[in-house]
Amino acid sequence: MPRHHQKKSSASGGGSQRQLRVGEQVRHAMAEILAQGNVHDADLEGHIVTVPEVRMSPDLKLATIYVMPLGGRDTEIVIAALERNKKLLRGEVARRVNLKFAPDVRFRVDERFDEAERIEKLLRTPAVQKDLEQDPDSDREEEQ
């Protein structure tokens, strides 16, 4: 009797194991390329760029690379410089990551830091602080 394997949905877990593994390899390669200064662009010089995440398409032919300049300044300038040097960066990634096809790359600003800061500010608001200061035992007594 043949065994049937169900294909897991990649939407729930952020991608298949292979997508995650290859994305991490591309992330390491891109971070190394940017740290070594292999891209000679006036707009990138003087910027330290972190690569917190790379998301691969299911066919591994597209890599969406999320970047953030140190301090969060000049994001548009850095993204534009990376886009201008896309061909060079794609070639460097292809040399460092062993894949059948070199993935096309696109760059996006990583906005997780902004979102985390927004949530932190929200948690410090007086209304939230008031809710946090309430005695949890008093809530239980009211329910009874």
Side-chain angles (χ1 to χ4, degrees), residues 68-116:
M68 177 55 72
L70 190 64
R73 294 173 289 125
D74 302 328
T75 55
E76 297 86 14
I77 294 169
V78 169
I79 293 290
L82 291 169
E83 287 291 335
R84 277 194 307 273
N85 294 286
K86 183 187 289 196
K87 188 175 180 181
L88 168 80
L89 292 167
R90 181 181 183 205
E92 284 291 319
V93 167
R95 278 189 273 290
R96 296 167 192 244
V97 180
N98 186 19
L99 293 171
K100 187 174 184 179
F101 299 101
D104 189 23
V105 295
R106 65 180 177 192
F107 297 95
R108 300 286 184 264
V109 176
D110 184 28
E111 296 175 347
R112 287 184 291 182
F113 299 112
D114 294 336
E115 183 67 13

mmCIF file of all heavy atoms in Angstrom, residues 68-116:
data_model
loop_
_atom_site.group_PDB
_atom_site.id
_atom_site.type_symbol
_atom_site.label_atom_id
_atom_site.label_comp_id
_atom_site.label_asym_id
_atom_site.label_seq_id
_atom_site.Cartn_x
_atom_site.Cartn_y
_atom_site.Cartn_z
ATOM 1 N N MET A 68 18.664 47.066 6.654
ATOM 2 C CA MET A 68 18.474 48.244 7.490
ATOM 3 C C MET A 68 19.841 48.891 7.710
ATOM 4 O O MET A 68 20.742 48.248 8.241
ATOM 5 C CB MET A 68 17.857 47.853 8.830
ATOM 6 C CG MET A 68 17.685 49.001 9.797
ATOM 7 S SD MET A 68 16.739 50.413 9.194
ATOM 8 C CE MET A 68 15.106 49.754 9.165
ATOM 9 N N PRO A 69 19.984 50.149 7.265
ATOM 10 C CA PRO A 69 21.227 50.859 7.576
ATOM 11 C C PRO A 69 21.316 51.113 9.077
ATOM 12 O O PRO A 69 20.289 51.328 9.735
ATOM 13 C CB PRO A 69 21.101 52.182 6.816
ATOM 14 C CG PRO A 69 19.943 52.030 5.899
ATOM 15 C CD PRO A 69 19.097 50.933 6.441
ATOM 16 N N LEU A 70 22.520 51.093 9.611
ATOM 17 C CA LEU A 70 22.716 51.319 11.031
ATOM 18 C C LEU A 70 22.162 52.684 11.405
ATOM 19 O O LEU A 70 22.447 53.679 10.760
ATOM 20 C CB LEU A 70 24.202 51.229 11.376
ATOM 21 C CG LEU A 70 24.537 51.207 12.862
ATOM 22 C CD1 LEU A 70 23.964 49.961 13.508
ATOM 23 C CD2 LEU A 70 26.027 51.239 13.060
ATOM 24 N N GLY A 71 21.351 52.723 12.415
ATOM 25 C CA GLY A 71 20.726 53.964 12.849
ATOM 26 C C GLY A 71 19.426 54.259 12.126
ATOM 27 O O GLY A 71 18.717 55.180 12.486
ATOM 28 N N GLY A 72 19.095 53.489 11.099
ATOM 29 C CA GLY A 72 17.846 53.672 10.378
ATOM 30 C C GLY A 72 17.795 54.916 9.506
ATOM 31 O O GLY A 72 16.735 55.316 9.053
ATOM 32 N N ARG A 73 18.948 55.532 9.242
ATOM 33 C CA ARG A 73 18.981 56.749 8.422
ATOM 34 C C ARG A 73 19.271 56.410 6.974
ATOM 35 O O ARG A 73 19.900 55.406 6.677
ATOM 36 C CB ARG A 73 20.046 57.720 8.943
ATOM 37 C CG ARG A 73 19.729 58.281 10.324
ATOM 38 C CD ARG A 73 20.868 59.108 10.877
ATOM 39 N NE ARG A 73 21.968 58.199 11.227
ATOM 40 C CZ ARG A 73 23.204 58.317 10.765
ATOM 41 N NH1 ARG A 73 23.539 59.283 9.969
ATOM 42 N NH2 ARG A 73 24.120 57.446 11.114
ATOM 43 N N ASP A 74 18.834 57.268 6.088
ATOM 44 C CA ASP A 74 19.128 57.178 4.648
ATOM 45 C C ASP A 74 18.680 55.853 4.038
ATOM 46 O O ASP A 74 19.349 55.314 3.155
ATOM 47 C CB ASP A 74 20.633 57.377 4.383
ATOM 48 C CG ASP A 74 21.155 58.701 4.906
ATOM 49 O OD1 ASP A 74 20.376 59.677 4.903
ATOM 50 O OD2 ASP A 74 22.331 58.761 5.301
ATOM 51 N N THR A 75 17.558 55.334 4.469
ATOM 52 C CA THR A 75 17.107 54.038 3.961
ATOM 53 C C THR A 75 16.839 54.081 2.458
ATOM 54 O O THR A 75 17.201 53.150 1.747
ATOM 55 C CB THR A 75 15.846 53.552 4.699
ATOM 56 O OG1 THR A 75 14.842 54.552 4.625
ATOM 57 C CG2 THR A 75 16.143 53.219 6.142
ATOM 58 N N GLU A 76 16.228 55.173 1.976
ATOM 59 C CA GLU A 76 15.913 55.267 0.548
ATOM 60 C C GLU A 76 17.192 55.306 -0.291
ATOM 61 O O GLU A 76 17.270 54.671 -1.344
ATOM 62 C CB GLU A 76 15.067 56.515 0.251
ATOM 63 C CG GLU A 76 13.713 56.522 0.916
ATOM 64 C CD GLU A 76 13.753 57.079 2.339
ATOM 65 O OE1 GLU A 76 14.760 57.713 2.734
ATOM 66 O OE2 GLU A 76 12.776 56.862 3.061
ATOM 67 N N ILE A 77 18.196 56.032 0.193
ATOM 68 C CA ILE A 77 19.469 56.143 -0.533
ATOM 69 C C ILE A 77 20.161 54.786 -0.598
ATOM 70 O O ILE A 77 20.672 54.375 -1.644
ATOM 71 C CB ILE A 77 20.372 57.197 0.141
ATOM 72 C CG1 ILE A 77 19.746 58.587 0.004
ATOM 73 C CG2 ILE A 77 21.774 57.168 -0.423
ATOM 74 C CD1 ILE A 77 20.403 59.663 0.850
ATOM 75 N N VAL A 78 20.158 54.066 0.516
ATOM 76 C CA VAL A 78 20.809 52.754 0.582
ATOM 77 C C VAL A 78 20.091 51.753 -0.322
ATOM 78 O O VAL A 78 20.742 51.010 -1.080
ATOM 79 C CB VAL A 78 20.890 52.259 2.043
ATOM 80 C CG1 VAL A 78 21.304 50.796 2.100
ATOM 81 C CG2 VAL A 78 21.852 53.118 2.835
ATOM 82 N N ILE A 79 18.765 51.739 -0.275
ATOM 83 C CA ILE A 79 17.998 50.822 -1.132
ATOM 84 C C ILE A 79 18.270 51.131 -2.602
ATOM 85 O O ILE A 79 18.477 50.221 -3.417
ATOM 86 C CB ILE A 79 16.483 50.903 -0.821
ATOM 87 C CG1 ILE A 79 16.193 50.361 0.576
ATOM 88 C CG2 ILE A 79 15.653 50.167 -1.865
ATOM 89 C CD1 ILE A 79 16.362 48.875 0.740
ATOM 90 N N ALA A 80 18.292 52.404 -2.962
ATOM 91 C CA ALA A 80 18.558 52.794 -4.354
ATOM 92 C C ALA A 80 19.956 52.349 -4.781
ATOM 93 O O ALA A 80 20.141 51.860 -5.905
ATOM 94 C CB ALA A 80 18.401 54.302 -4.518
ATOM 95 N N ALA A 81 20.941 52.485 -3.895
ATOM 96 C CA ALA A 81 22.306 52.061 -4.217
ATOM 97 C C ALA A 81 22.379 50.546 -4.393
ATOM 98 O O ALA A 81 23.058 50.047 -5.308
ATOM 99 C CB ALA A 81 23.267 52.519 -3.124
ATOM 100 N N LEU A 82 21.686 49.812 -3.540
ATOM 101 C CA LEU A 82 21.674 48.348 -3.667
ATOM 102 C C LEU A 82 20.984 47.937 -4.967
ATOM 103 O O LEU A 82 21.447 47.013 -5.653
ATOM 104 C CB LEU A 82 20.985 47.708 -2.462
ATOM 105 C CG LEU A 82 21.743 47.831 -1.135
ATOM 106 C CD1 LEU A 82 20.859 47.400 0.024
ATOM 107 C CD2 LEU A 82 23.025 47.028 -1.164
ATOM 108 N N GLU A 83 19.899 48.604 -5.315
ATOM 109 C CA GLU A 83 19.197 48.305 -6.575
ATOM 110 C C GLU A 83 20.100 48.589 -7.778
ATOM 111 O O GLU A 83 20.084 47.840 -8.759
ATOM 112 C CB GLU A 83 17.900 49.109 -6.678
ATOM 113 C CG GLU A 83 16.795 48.620 -5.764
ATOM 114 C CD GLU A 83 16.223 47.268 -6.157
ATOM 115 O OE1 GLU A 83 16.294 46.871 -7.337
ATOM 116 O OE2 GLU A 83 15.669 46.588 -5.272
ATOM 117 N N ARG A 84 20.877 49.672 -7.721
ATOM 118 C CA ARG A 84 21.793 49.991 -8.824
ATOM 119 C C ARG A 84 22.850 48.912 -8.993
ATOM 120 O O ARG A 84 23.329 48.670 -10.101
ATOM 121 C CB ARG A 84 22.505 51.323 -8.567
ATOM 122 C CG ARG A 84 21.730 52.536 -8.951
ATOM 123 C CD ARG A 84 22.620 53.763 -8.993
ATOM 124 N NE ARG A 84 23.394 53.999 -7.777
ATOM 125 C CZ ARG A 84 22.952 54.675 -6.726
ATOM 126 N NH1 ARG A 84 21.745 55.183 -6.717
ATOM 127 N NH2 ARG A 84 23.745 54.861 -5.679
ATOM 128 N N ASN A 85 23.252 48.301 -7.893
ATOM 129 C CA ASN A 85 24.314 47.285 -7.918
ATOM 130 C C ASN A 85 23.763 45.864 -7.844
ATOM 131 O O ASN A 85 24.479 44.938 -7.495
ATOM 132 C CB ASN A 85 25.276 47.545 -6.755
ATOM 133 C CG ASN A 85 26.020 48.834 -6.929
ATOM 134 O OD1 ASN A 85 26.916 48.918 -7.744
ATOM 135 N ND2 ASN A 85 25.624 49.862 -6.191
ATOM 136 N N LYS A 86 22.509 45.712 -8.209
ATOM 137 C CA LYS A 86 21.821 44.418 -8.111
ATOM 138 C C LYS A 86 22.537 43.317 -8.896
ATOM 139 O O LYS A 86 22.683 42.195 -8.426
ATOM 140 C CB LYS A 86 20.391 44.580 -8.623
ATOM 141 C CG LYS A 86 19.545 43.346 -8.503
ATOM 142 C CD LYS A 86 18.203 43.504 -9.169
ATOM 143 C CE LYS A 86 17.325 44.453 -8.404
ATOM 144 N NZ LYS A 86 15.916 44.352 -8.775
ATOM 145 N N LYS A 87 23.000 43.631 -10.099
ATOM 146 C CA LYS A 87 23.652 42.626 -10.948
ATOM 147 C C LYS A 87 24.931 42.104 -10.291
ATOM 148 O O LYS A 87 25.172 40.894 -10.247
ATOM 149 C CB LYS A 87 23.946 43.242 -12.317
ATOM 150 C CG LYS A 87 24.449 42.264 -13.330
ATOM 151 C CD LYS A 87 24.594 42.918 -14.685
ATOM 152 C CE LYS A 87 25.093 41.928 -15.711
ATOM 153 N NZ LYS A 87 25.255 42.543 -17.025
ATOM 154 N N LEU A 88 25.741 43.009 -9.767
ATOM 155 C CA LEU A 88 26.978 42.623 -9.082
ATOM 156 C C LEU A 88 26.656 41.782 -7.847
ATOM 157 O O LEU A 88 27.272 40.732 -7.619
ATOM 158 C CB LEU A 88 27.763 43.870 -8.671
ATOM 159 C CG LEU A 88 28.918 43.620 -7.699
ATOM 160 C CD1 LEU A 88 30.117 43.093 -8.457
ATOM 161 C CD2 LEU A 88 29.251 44.878 -6.943
ATOM 162 N N LEU A 89 25.693 42.219 -7.066
ATOM 163 C CA LEU A 89 25.328 41.506 -5.843
ATOM 164 C C LEU A 89 24.770 40.119 -6.140
ATOM 165 O O LEU A 89 25.098 39.148 -5.447
ATOM 166 C CB LEU A 89 24.324 42.329 -5.036
ATOM 167 C CG LEU A 89 24.889 43.614 -4.437
ATOM 168 C CD1 LEU A 89 23.778 44.511 -3.934
ATOM 169 C CD2 LEU A 89 25.874 43.296 -3.329
ATOM 170 N N ARG A 90 23.965 40.021 -7.186
ATOM 171 C CA ARG A 90 23.421 38.717 -7.567
ATOM 172 C C ARG A 90 24.555 37.761 -7.956
ATOM 173 O O ARG A 90 24.552 36.585 -7.576
ATOM 174 C CB ARG A 90 22.444 38.887 -8.730
ATOM 175 C CG ARG A 90 21.814 37.599 -9.167
ATOM 176 C CD ARG A 90 20.875 37.809 -10.331
ATOM 177 N NE ARG A 90 20.235 36.552 -10.668
ATOM 178 C CZ ARG A 90 19.755 36.272 -11.856
ATOM 179 N NH1 ARG A 90 19.804 37.156 -12.827
ATOM 180 N NH2 ARG A 90 19.197 35.107 -12.089
ATOM 181 N N GLY A 91 25.522 38.254 -8.715
ATOM 182 C CA GLY A 91 26.668 37.428 -9.109
ATOM 183 C C GLY A 91 27.482 36.971 -7.918
ATOM 184 O O GLY A 91 27.922 35.817 -7.849
ATOM 185 N N GLU A 92 27.693 37.883 -6.963
ATOM 186 C CA GLU A 92 28.456 37.524 -5.758
ATOM 187 C C GLU A 92 27.711 36.470 -4.930
ATOM 188 O O GLU A 92 28.311 35.534 -4.434
ATOM 189 C CB GLU A 92 28.724 38.769 -4.907
ATOM 190 C CG GLU A 92 29.807 39.663 -5.454
ATOM 191 C CD GLU A 92 31.185 39.024 -5.369
ATOM 192 O OE1 GLU A 92 31.504 38.381 -4.353
ATOM 193 O OE2 GLU A 92 31.938 39.159 -6.339
ATOM 194 N N VAL A 93 26.416 36.636 -4.806
ATOM 195 C CA VAL A 93 25.612 35.649 -4.066
ATOM 196 C C VAL A 93 25.682 34.297 -4.772
ATOM 197 O O VAL A 93 25.843 33.257 -4.135
ATOM 198 C CB VAL A 93 24.150 36.128 -3.903
ATOM 199 C CG1 VAL A 93 23.248 34.992 -3.431
ATOM 200 C CG2 VAL A 93 24.073 37.293 -2.936
ATOM 201 N N ALA A 94 25.593 34.312 -6.106
ATOM 202 C CA ALA A 94 25.643 33.057 -6.871
ATOM 203 C C ALA A 94 26.971 32.329 -6.661
ATOM 204 O O ALA A 94 27.004 31.096 -6.599
ATOM 205 C CB ALA A 94 25.425 33.342 -8.354
ATOM 206 N N ARG A 95 28.073 33.078 -6.550
ATOM 207 C CA ARG A 95 29.378 32.448 -6.321
ATOM 208 C C ARG A 95 29.487 31.845 -4.924
ATOM 209 O O ARG A 95 30.173 30.850 -4.719
ATOM 210 C CB ARG A 95 30.495 33.470 -6.524
ATOM 211 C CG ARG A 95 30.872 33.664 -7.975
ATOM 212 C CD ARG A 95 32.125 34.508 -8.125
ATOM 213 N NE ARG A 95 31.860 35.933 -8.166
ATOM 214 C CZ ARG A 95 31.256 36.571 -9.167
ATOM 215 N NH1 ARG A 95 30.843 35.900 -10.204
ATOM 216 N NH2 ARG A 95 31.088 37.871 -9.127
ATOM 217 N N ARG A 96 28.805 32.439 -3.968
ATOM 218 C CA ARG A 96 28.943 32.000 -2.579
ATOM 219 C C ARG A 96 27.912 30.962 -2.153
ATOM 220 O O ARG A 96 28.152 30.220 -1.210
ATOM 221 C CB ARG A 96 28.851 33.211 -1.646
ATOM 222 C CG ARG A 96 29.993 34.183 -1.849
ATOM 223 C CD ARG A 96 29.708 35.495 -1.167
ATOM 224 N NE ARG A 96 30.665 36.504 -1.582
ATOM 225 C CZ ARG A 96 31.537 37.085 -0.784
ATOM 226 N NH1 ARG A 96 31.571 36.767 0.490
ATOM 227 N NH2 ARG A 96 32.367 37.979 -1.244
ATOM 228 N N VAL A 97 26.762 30.933 -2.818
ATOM 229 C CA VAL A 97 25.699 29.994 -2.461
ATOM 230 C C VAL A 97 25.514 29.034 -3.631
ATOM 231 O O VAL A 97 25.253 29.456 -4.748
ATOM 232 C CB VAL A 97 24.371 30.731 -2.157
ATOM 233 C CG1 VAL A 97 23.278 29.746 -1.801
ATOM 234 C CG2 VAL A 97 24.566 31.738 -1.044
ATOM 235 N N ASN A 98 25.637 27.750 -3.355
ATOM 236 C CA ASN A 98 25.583 26.741 -4.405
ATOM 237 C C ASN A 98 24.133 26.386 -4.730
ATOM 238 O O ASN A 98 23.509 25.600 -4.030
ATOM 239 C CB ASN A 98 26.359 25.500 -3.958
ATOM 240 C CG ASN A 98 26.464 24.467 -5.055
ATOM 241 O OD1 ASN A 98 26.286 24.784 -6.231
ATOM 242 N ND2 ASN A 98 26.746 23.246 -4.683
ATOM 243 N N LEU A 99 23.605 27.002 -5.798
ATOM 244 C CA LEU A 99 22.248 26.734 -6.259
ATOM 245 C C LEU A 99 22.273 26.476 -7.754
ATOM 246 O O LEU A 99 23.188 26.904 -8.460
ATOM 247 C CB LEU A 99 21.329 27.925 -5.973
ATOM 248 C CG LEU A 99 21.030 28.243 -4.518
ATOM 249 C CD1 LEU A 99 20.294 29.570 -4.417
ATOM 250 C CD2 LEU A 99 20.198 27.137 -3.900
ATOM 251 N N LYS A 100 21.243 25.812 -8.225
ATOM 252 C CA LYS A 100 21.143 25.543 -9.661
ATOM 253 C C LYS A 100 21.011 26.847 -10.442
ATOM 254 O O LYS A 100 21.626 27.031 -11.488
ATOM 255 C CB LYS A 100 19.950 24.629 -9.929
ATOM 256 C CG LYS A 100 19.853 24.151 -11.362
ATOM 257 C CD LYS A 100 18.737 23.127 -11.501
ATOM 258 C CE LYS A 100 18.690 22.579 -12.913
ATOM 259 N NZ LYS A 100 17.641 21.563 -13.059
ATOM 260 N N PHE A 101 20.188 27.758 -9.933
ATOM 261 C CA PHE A 101 19.995 29.061 -10.562
ATOM 262 C C PHE A 101 20.344 30.149 -9.548
ATOM 263 O O PHE A 101 20.016 30.020 -8.371
ATOM 264 C CB PHE A 101 18.531 29.268 -10.986
ATOM 265 C CG PHE A 101 18.045 28.270 -11.978
ATOM 266 C CD1 PHE A 101 17.258 27.201 -11.578
ATOM 267 C CD2 PHE A 101 18.376 28.384 -13.328
ATOM 268 C CE1 PHE A 101 16.808 26.268 -12.498
ATOM 269 C CE2 PHE A 101 17.929 27.458 -14.240
ATOM 270 C CZ PHE A 101 17.144 26.395 -13.828
ATOM 271 N N ALA A 102 20.965 31.213 -10.038
ATOM 272 C CA ALA A 102 21.212 32.357 -9.163
ATOM 273 C C ALA A 102 19.887 33.081 -8.961
ATOM 274 O O ALA A 102 19.228 33.448 -9.937
ATOM 275 C CB ALA A 102 22.230 33.294 -9.801
ATOM 276 N N PRO A 103 19.463 33.267 -7.736
ATOM 277 C CA PRO A 103 18.176 33.928 -7.522
ATOM 278 C C PRO A 103 18.245 35.408 -7.893
ATOM 279 O O PRO A 103 19.260 36.064 -7.684
ATOM 280 C CB PRO A 103 17.938 33.751 -6.018
ATOM 281 C CG PRO A 103 19.285 33.579 -5.426
ATOM 282 C CD PRO A 103 20.114 32.899 -6.477
ATOM 283 N N ASP A 104 17.152 35.900 -8.454
ATOM 284 C CA ASP A 104 17.023 37.322 -8.674
ATOM 285 C C ASP A 104 16.866 37.945 -7.297
ATOM 286 O O ASP A 104 16.269 37.345 -6.411
ATOM 287 C CB ASP A 104 15.805 37.614 -9.547
ATOM 288 C CG ASP A 104 15.742 39.057 -10.001
ATOM 289 O OD1 ASP A 104 16.804 39.715 -10.018
ATOM 290 O OD2 ASP A 104 14.648 39.522 -10.334
ATOM 291 N N VAL A 105 17.422 39.130 -7.098
ATOM 292 C CA VAL A 105 17.351 39.756 -5.781
ATOM 293 C C VAL A 105 16.556 41.049 -5.853
ATOM 294 O O VAL A 105 16.583 41.757 -6.857
ATOM 295 C CB VAL A 105 18.760 40.024 -5.199
ATOM 296 C CG1 VAL A 105 19.493 38.727 -4.927
ATOM 297 C CG2 VAL A 105 19.573 40.918 -6.095
ATOM 298 N N ARG A 106 15.817 41.308 -4.781
ATOM 299 C CA ARG A 106 15.164 42.599 -4.616
ATOM 300 C C ARG A 106 15.360 43.010 -3.172
ATOM 301 O O ARG A 106 15.451 42.165 -2.279
ATOM 302 C CB ARG A 106 13.702 42.554 -5.018
ATOM 303 C CG ARG A 106 12.825 41.686 -4.164
ATOM 304 C CD ARG A 106 11.400 41.719 -4.651
ATOM 305 N NE ARG A 106 10.602 40.814 -3.841
ATOM 306 C CZ ARG A 106 9.382 40.447 -4.138
ATOM 307 N NH1 ARG A 106 8.814 40.899 -5.228
ATOM 308 N NH2 ARG A 106 8.717 39.635 -3.363
ATOM 309 N N PHE A 107 15.420 44.306 -2.967
ATOM 310 C CA PHE A 107 15.747 44.838 -1.652
ATOM 311 C C PHE A 107 14.558 45.579 -1.069
ATOM 312 O O PHE A 107 13.868 46.317 -1.765
ATOM 313 C CB PHE A 107 16.962 45.765 -1.743
ATOM 314 C CG PHE A 107 18.195 45.052 -2.202
ATOM 315 C CD1 PHE A 107 18.554 45.045 -3.534
ATOM 316 C CD2 PHE A 107 18.971 44.349 -1.300
ATOM 317 C CE1 PHE A 107 19.674 44.367 -3.969
ATOM 318 C CE2 PHE A 107 20.099 43.669 -1.722
ATOM 319 C CZ PHE A 107 20.455 43.672 -3.064
ATOM 320 N N ARG A 108 14.334 45.373 0.210
ATOM 321 C CA ARG A 108 13.258 46.039 0.936
ATOM 322 C C ARG A 108 13.823 46.513 2.280
ATOM 323 O O ARG A 108 14.741 45.904 2.833
ATOM 324 C CB ARG A 108 12.091 45.089 1.221
ATOM 325 C CG ARG A 108 11.439 44.497 -0.010
ATOM 326 C CD ARG A 108 10.594 45.537 -0.732
ATOM 327 N NE ARG A 108 9.888 44.965 -1.863
ATOM 328 C CZ ARG A 108 10.316 45.001 -3.112
ATOM 329 N NH1 ARG A 108 11.473 45.570 -3.406
ATOM 330 N NH2 ARG A 108 9.608 44.477 -4.086
ATOM 331 N N VAL A 109 13.244 47.576 2.799
ATOM 332 C CA VAL A 109 13.628 48.070 4.119
ATOM 333 C C VAL A 109 12.980 47.181 5.168
ATOM 334 O O VAL A 109 11.787 46.881 5.079
ATOM 335 C CB VAL A 109 13.180 49.534 4.302
ATOM 336 C CG1 VAL A 109 13.491 50.017 5.714
ATOM 337 C CG2 VAL A 109 13.842 50.430 3.283
ATOM 338 N N ASP A 110 13.758 46.755 6.147
ATOM 339 C CA ASP A 110 13.218 45.950 7.239
ATOM 340 C C ASP A 110 12.562 46.897 8.230
ATOM 341 O O ASP A 110 13.234 47.711 8.857
ATOM 342 C CB ASP A 110 14.329 45.155 7.908
ATOM 343 C CG ASP A 110 13.801 44.236 8.989
ATOM 344 O OD1 ASP A 110 12.636 43.813 8.877
ATOM 345 O OD2 ASP A 110 14.550 43.944 9.931
ATOM 346 N N GLU A 111 11.253 46.784 8.370
ATOM 347 C CA GLU A 111 10.504 47.703 9.225
ATOM 348 C C GLU A 111 10.163 47.106 10.582
ATOM 349 O O GLU A 111 9.394 47.687 11.334
ATOM 350 C CB GLU A 111 9.236 48.147 8.499
ATOM 351 C CG GLU A 111 9.564 48.934 7.246
ATOM 352 C CD GLU A 111 8.360 49.302 6.416
ATOM 353 O OE1 GLU A 111 7.257 48.755 6.663
ATOM 354 O OE2 GLU A 111 8.518 50.130 5.519
ATOM 355 N N ARG A 112 10.752 45.969 10.907
ATOM 356 C CA ARG A 112 10.456 45.343 12.192
ATOM 357 C C ARG A 112 10.933 46.203 13.358
ATOM 358 O O ARG A 112 10.307 46.236 14.409
ATOM 359 C CB ARG A 112 11.100 43.963 12.282
ATOM 360 C CG ARG A 112 10.381 42.943 11.415
ATOM 361 C CD ARG A 112 10.970 41.594 11.594
ATOM 362 N NE ARG A 112 12.308 41.608 10.994
ATOM 363 C CZ ARG A 112 13.086 40.559 10.938
ATOM 364 N NH1 ARG A 112 12.703 39.425 11.455
ATOM 365 N NH2 ARG A 112 14.272 40.623 10.367
ATOM 366 N N PHE A 113 12.054 46.911 13.170
ATOM 367 C CA PHE A 113 12.566 47.752 14.244
ATOM 368 C C PHE A 113 11.600 48.896 14.543
ATOM 369 O O PHE A 113 11.357 49.237 15.688
ATOM 370 C CB PHE A 113 13.948 48.303 13.882
ATOM 371 C CG PHE A 113 14.981 47.226 13.672
ATOM 372 C CD1 PHE A 113 15.505 46.990 12.414
ATOM 373 C CD2 PHE A 113 15.414 46.440 14.729
ATOM 374 C CE1 PHE A 113 16.443 45.995 12.212
ATOM 375 C CE2 PHE A 113 16.351 45.443 14.537
ATOM 376 C CZ PHE A 113 16.868 45.221 13.280
ATOM 377 N N ASP A 114 11.043 49.491 13.493
ATOM 378 C CA ASP A 114 10.060 50.564 13.670
ATOM 379 C C ASP A 114 8.816 50.043 14.364
ATOM 380 O O ASP A 114 8.258 50.711 15.236
ATOM 381 C CB ASP A 114 9.676 51.176 12.311
ATOM 382 C CG ASP A 114 10.840 51.888 11.656
ATOM 383 O OD1 ASP A 114 11.764 52.306 12.382
ATOM 384 O OD2 ASP A 114 10.822 52.023 10.413
ATOM 385 N N GLU A 115 8.379 48.857 13.980
ATOM 386 C CA GLU A 115 7.185 48.265 14.587
ATOM 387 C C GLU A 115 7.429 47.954 16.059
ATOM 388 O O GLU A 115 6.563 48.197 16.911
ATOM 389 C CB GLU A 115 6.786 46.999 13.826
ATOM 390 C CG GLU A 115 5.535 46.344 14.328
ATOM 391 C CD GLU A 115 4.270 47.166 14.105
ATOM 392 O OE1 GLU A 115 4.299 48.145 13.344
ATOM 393 O OE2 GLU A 115 3.251 46.820 14.727
ATOM 394 N N ALA A 116 8.601 47.441 16.386
ATOM 395 C CA ALA A 116 8.928 47.140 17.781
ATOM 396 C C ALA A 116 8.962 48.428 18.606
ATOM 397 O O ALA A 116 8.483 48.452 19.742
ATOM 398 C CB ALA A 116 10.270 46.422 17.862
#
